[in-house]
Amino acid sequence: ADGIPWVLQAEDKADKIKVFWADFPGHSIKKWKCEVLIENANVQHLLEEVFNFEKRCGPNGWDVAIKDGKVLRKYEGGIYSLSLASTHPAGGGVISSREFLDLRGLYLEGDNVPKDGLVLAMCSVDPKKDKKWFTNMPKGNSKLVRGYAFPGSGVRVTPVDGTNNLLFETVSIIELNGWIPTSVINQATSSAMIDSNKMMQAHLRKVIGK
């Protein structure tokens, strides 16, 4: 967190999930990190079941955070992509669905990628600020508030030595926009991270156990 310590905010000991936050200098929002242990899984399981909108969301999806999503464009053989996704309402409906237009880079190897792991780096595209260099900007749903994921958001997956388990770390630096009290955002983010990761664990157990 740029030298700023992460502070534990919530923990589900039974499912081995921890949620942290850290200050984001110059902004009113927090940086969020979630750590979860995924047992008896490998990166291929994640590519097929987690980093795949068709499996993750929609009518038959497992994620309680992401409502729908799709990859609009791919670059450099699929390493980079542009995606459009919307979230489920959160905070008991206080936070309405948000839409995100994100550039993503999925790396299976490289200097900062754990051996037999992966790194997903992502940040949002701003229709107003980025339109000068991003031609043919895709249009979203005008009825949804557009959220923004700052650079530094993403996922790192690291194999746990001596086991068949993976440490799945998510960093979320997101501006939801709209008129929402900070206390509501903080409470909703913490619970949403735990709920989403618990559903991911349950889905992977079901799939891997087949």
Side-chain angles (χ1 to χ4, degrees):
D2 300 326
I4 300 174
W6 291 106
V7 179
L8 182 66
Q9 291 298 310
E11 181 176 8
D12 187 314
K13 294 184 178 180
D15 287 310
K16 301 181 178 62
I17 302 173
K18 294 181 179 180
V19 176
F20 306 81
W21 75 10
D23 289 332
F24 188 22
H27 300 270
S28 60
I29 63 173
K30 297 284 189 179
K31 293 183 177 182
W32 291 86
K33 180 174 74 167
C34 185
E35 297 179 352
V36 56
L37 187 69
I38 302 176
E39 300 177 334
N40 301 314
N42 57 46
V43 165
Q44 190 59 40
H45 289 130
L46 301 185
L47 293 175
E48 294 175 359
E49 304 295 333
V50 177
F51 300 103
N52 181 346
F53 284 124
E54 292 182 2
K55 296 286 186 70
R56 183 165 188 158
C57 52
N60 300 314
W62 54 263
D63 200 336
V64 294
I66 301 178
K67 183 178 181 180
D68 54 54
K70 58 183 176 181
V71 174
L72 302 178
R73 301 171 190 170
K74 292 184 179 181
Y75 312 92
E76 300 294 330
I79 296 176
Y80 304 102
S81 63
L82 178 70
S83 65
L84 185 67
S86 63
T87 63
H88 285 288
V94 176
I95 302 175
S96 62
S97 294
R98 292 301 195 266
E99 185 177 67
F100 292 87
L101 180 63
D102 298 330
L103 283 172
R104 301 177 174 221
L106 181 62
Y107 307 94
L108 299 179
E109 57 184 17
D111 293 339
N112 297 314
V113 180
K115 186 178 184 299
D116 298 322
L118 65 78
V119 167
L120 172 71
M122 59 179 287
C123 68
S124 291
V125 177
D126 189 312
K128 294 182 180 179
K129 295 180 181 179
D130 297 323
K131 63 181 180 180
K132 292 183 179 179
W133 65 268
F134 199 121
T135 57
N136 299 319
M137 179 78 71
K139 293 183 179 179
N141 187 338
S142 60
K143 295 181 180 180
L144 297 180
V145 177
R146 177 68 61 87
Y148 185 84
F150 287 87
S153 300
V155 174
R156 179 174 62 189
V157 177
T158 307
V160 179
D161 291 342
T163 73
N164 293 322
N165 303 333
L166 300 172
L167 177 62
F168 191 102
E169 299 173 276
T170 303
V171 173
S172 178
I173 315 172
I174 291 177
E175 177 64 72
L176 291 178
N177 295 318
W179 298 94
I180 310 171
T182 301
S183 59
V184 174
I185 293 176
N186 291 340
Q187 183 177 0
T189 300
S190 181
S191 60
M193 280 189 144
I194 288 181
D195 291 346
S196 180
N197 279 277
K198 289 181 74 168
M199 294 302 293
M200 177 177 68
Q201 284 180 317
H203 175 74
L204 289 171
R205 289 193 198 104
K206 180 180 179 181
V207 171
I208 296 170
K210 289 184 178 179

Short mmCIF file of all heavy atoms in Angstrom, two decimals, residues 90-113:
data_model
loop_
_atom_site.label_atom_id
_atom_site.label_comp_id
_atom_site.label_asym_id
_atom_site.label_seq_id
_atom_site.Cartn_x
_atom_site.Cartn_y
_atom_site.Cartn_z
N ALA A 90 -25.59 -2.86 -3.24
CA ALA A 90 -24.93 -3.27 -1.99
C ALA A 90 -25.46 -2.44 -0.83
O ALA A 90 -26.21 -1.48 -1.02
CB ALA A 90 -23.41 -3.09 -2.13
N GLY A 91 -25.04 -2.82 0.36
CA GLY A 91 -25.46 -2.08 1.55
C GLY A 91 -26.95 -2.11 1.77
O GLY A 91 -27.54 -1.12 2.19
N GLY A 92 -27.55 -3.27 1.47
CA GLY A 92 -28.99 -3.37 1.65
C GLY A 92 -29.78 -2.54 0.66
O GLY A 92 -30.92 -2.17 0.91
N GLY A 93 -29.14 -2.24 -0.49
CA GLY A 93 -29.80 -1.44 -1.52
C GLY A 93 -29.49 0.04 -1.46
O GLY A 93 -29.89 0.80 -2.35
N VAL A 94 -28.76 0.46 -0.41
CA VAL A 94 -28.40 1.88 -0.28
C VAL A 94 -27.46 2.29 -1.41
O VAL A 94 -27.53 3.40 -1.93
CB VAL A 94 -27.74 2.15 1.09
CG1 VAL A 94 -27.27 3.60 1.19
CG2 VAL A 94 -28.72 1.84 2.22
N ILE A 95 -26.56 1.37 -1.78
CA ILE A 95 -25.63 1.63 -2.89
C ILE A 95 -26.19 0.93 -4.13
O ILE A 95 -26.29 -0.28 -4.18
CB ILE A 95 -24.22 1.09 -2.58
CG1 ILE A 95 -23.69 1.74 -1.30
CG2 ILE A 95 -23.28 1.37 -3.75
CD1 ILE A 95 -22.35 1.19 -0.85
N SER A 96 -26.57 1.72 -5.11
CA SER A 96 -27.15 1.16 -6.32
C SER A 96 -26.06 0.52 -7.19
O SER A 96 -24.86 0.65 -6.91
CB SER A 96 -27.88 2.24 -7.12
OG SER A 96 -26.97 3.25 -7.52
N SER A 97 -26.48 -0.17 -8.24
CA SER A 97 -25.52 -0.81 -9.14
C SER A 97 -24.59 0.24 -9.74
O SER A 97 -24.99 1.37 -10.03
CB SER A 97 -26.27 -1.52 -10.27
OG SER A 97 -27.02 -2.60 -9.77
N ARG A 98 -23.33 -0.14 -9.89
CA ARG A 98 -22.32 0.70 -10.52
C ARG A 98 -21.79 0.00 -11.76
O ARG A 98 -21.77 -1.23 -11.83
CB ARG A 98 -21.16 0.98 -9.56
CG ARG A 98 -21.52 1.85 -8.36
CD ARG A 98 -22.06 3.19 -8.79
NE ARG A 98 -22.09 4.18 -7.73
CZ ARG A 98 -23.14 4.45 -6.96
NH1 ARG A 98 -24.26 3.75 -7.12
NH2 ARG A 98 -23.10 5.40 -6.05
N GLU A 99 -21.34 0.81 -12.71
CA GLU A 99 -20.78 0.26 -13.95
C GLU A 99 -19.30 0.65 -14.03
O GLU A 99 -18.91 1.75 -13.65
CB GLU A 99 -21.53 0.82 -15.15
CG GLU A 99 -21.08 0.22 -16.48
CD GLU A 99 -21.92 0.74 -17.63
OE1 GLU A 99 -21.81 1.96 -17.93
OE2 GLU A 99 -22.67 -0.04 -18.22
N PHE A 100 -18.48 -0.29 -14.53
CA PHE A 100 -17.04 -0.06 -14.65
C PHE A 100 -16.57 -0.45 -16.04
O PHE A 100 -16.87 -1.54 -16.54
CB PHE A 100 -16.28 -0.89 -13.61
CG PHE A 100 -16.51 -0.46 -12.19
CD1 PHE A 100 -17.58 -0.97 -11.46
CD2 PHE A 100 -15.67 0.47 -11.59
CE1 PHE A 100 -17.81 -0.57 -10.16
CE2 PHE A 100 -15.89 0.88 -10.28
CZ PHE A 100 -16.96 0.36 -9.57
N LEU A 101 -15.83 0.45 -16.65
CA LEU A 101 -15.18 0.19 -17.93
C LEU A 101 -13.69 0.11 -17.63
O LEU A 101 -13.05 1.12 -17.33
CB LEU A 101 -15.48 1.31 -18.92
CG LEU A 101 -14.86 1.18 -20.32
CD1 LEU A 101 -15.39 -0.06 -21.04
CD2 LEU A 101 -15.13 2.44 -21.14
N ASP A 102 -13.13 -1.10 -17.69
CA ASP A 102 -11.78 -1.33 -17.19
C ASP A 102 -10.84 -1.88 -18.26
O ASP A 102 -11.22 -2.74 -19.07
CB ASP A 102 -11.80 -2.33 -16.04
CG ASP A 102 -12.58 -1.85 -14.84
OD1 ASP A 102 -12.62 -0.63 -14.62
OD2 ASP A 102 -13.14 -2.69 -14.11
N LEU A 103 -9.60 -1.41 -18.20
CA LEU A 103 -8.50 -2.02 -18.94
C LEU A 103 -7.83 -3.02 -18.00
O LEU A 103 -7.54 -2.69 -16.84
CB LEU A 103 -7.49 -0.96 -19.39
CG LEU A 103 -7.89 -0.11 -20.59
CD1 LEU A 103 -6.86 1.02 -20.78
CD2 LEU A 103 -7.96 -0.96 -21.85
N ARG A 104 -7.57 -4.23 -18.50
CA ARG A 104 -6.99 -5.28 -17.67
C ARG A 104 -5.78 -5.90 -18.35
O ARG A 104 -5.76 -6.06 -19.57
CB ARG A 104 -8.02 -6.38 -17.40
CG ARG A 104 -9.28 -5.89 -16.70
CD ARG A 104 -10.29 -7.00 -16.53
NE ARG A 104 -11.43 -6.58 -15.75
CZ ARG A 104 -12.02 -7.33 -14.82
NH1 ARG A 104 -11.59 -8.55 -14.60
NH2 ARG A 104 -13.05 -6.87 -14.14
N GLY A 105 -4.82 -6.27 -17.53
CA GLY A 105 -3.67 -7.02 -18.01
C GLY A 105 -3.53 -8.27 -17.18
O GLY A 105 -3.43 -8.19 -15.95
N LEU A 106 -3.57 -9.43 -17.82
CA LEU A 106 -3.50 -10.70 -17.11
C LEU A 106 -2.15 -11.35 -17.42
O LEU A 106 -1.87 -11.71 -18.57
CB LEU A 106 -4.64 -11.63 -17.54
CG LEU A 106 -4.71 -12.99 -16.85
CD1 LEU A 106 -4.93 -12.83 -15.35
CD2 LEU A 106 -5.84 -13.83 -17.45
N TYR A 107 -1.32 -11.51 -16.40
CA TYR A 107 0.05 -11.99 -16.58
C TYR A 107 0.25 -13.34 -15.89
O TYR A 107 -0.02 -13.47 -14.69
CB TYR A 107 1.04 -10.98 -16.01
CG TYR A 107 0.86 -9.58 -16.51
CD1 TYR A 107 0.07 -8.66 -15.80
CD2 TYR A 107 1.44 -9.15 -17.70
CE1 TYR A 107 -0.11 -7.36 -16.26
CE2 TYR A 107 1.27 -7.85 -18.17
CZ TYR A 107 0.49 -6.96 -17.44
OH TYR A 107 0.31 -5.69 -17.89
N LEU A 108 0.74 -14.30 -16.64
CA LEU A 108 1.05 -15.62 -16.09
C LEU A 108 2.54 -15.80 -15.87
O LEU A 108 2.97 -16.81 -15.29
CB LEU A 108 0.52 -16.71 -17.02
CG LEU A 108 -0.99 -16.70 -17.26
CD1 LEU A 108 -1.39 -17.81 -18.23
CD2 LEU A 108 -1.74 -16.87 -15.94
N GLU A 109 3.32 -14.86 -16.34
CA GLU A 109 4.77 -14.90 -16.12
C GLU A 109 5.31 -13.48 -16.18
O GLU A 109 4.67 -12.58 -16.71
CB GLU A 109 5.45 -15.77 -17.17
CG GLU A 109 5.20 -15.34 -18.60
CD GLU A 109 5.81 -16.28 -19.61
OE1 GLU A 109 6.15 -17.42 -19.26
OE2 GLU A 109 5.98 -15.86 -20.77
N GLY A 110 6.50 -13.30 -15.61
CA GLY A 110 7.10 -11.97 -15.57
C GLY A 110 7.81 -11.76 -14.24
O GLY A 110 7.69 -12.56 -13.31
N ASP A 111 8.56 -10.66 -14.15
CA ASP A 111 9.37 -10.40 -12.96
C ASP A 111 8.55 -10.30 -11.68
O ASP A 111 9.02 -10.69 -10.61
CB ASP A 111 10.17 -9.10 -13.16
CG ASP A 111 11.21 -9.21 -14.26
OD1 ASP A 111 11.59 -10.36 -14.59
OD2 ASP A 111 11.64 -8.18 -14.79
N ASN A 112 7.35 -9.77 -11.77
CA ASN A 112 6.53 -9.57 -10.56
C ASN A 112 5.41 -10.59 -10.41
O ASN A 112 4.50 -10.40 -9.60
CB ASN A 112 5.94 -8.16 -10.58
CG ASN A 112 7.00 -7.08 -10.55
OD1 ASN A 112 7.93 -7.15 -9.75
ND2 ASN A 112 6.88 -6.09 -11.41
N VAL A 113 5.49 -11.67 -11.20
CA VAL A 113 4.45 -12.70 -11.14
C VAL A 113 4.98 -13.91 -10.36
O VAL A 113 6.04 -14.45 -10.69
CB VAL A 113 4.04 -13.15 -12.56
CG1 VAL A 113 2.96 -14.23 -12.48
CG2 VAL A 113 3.54 -11.96 -13.36
#
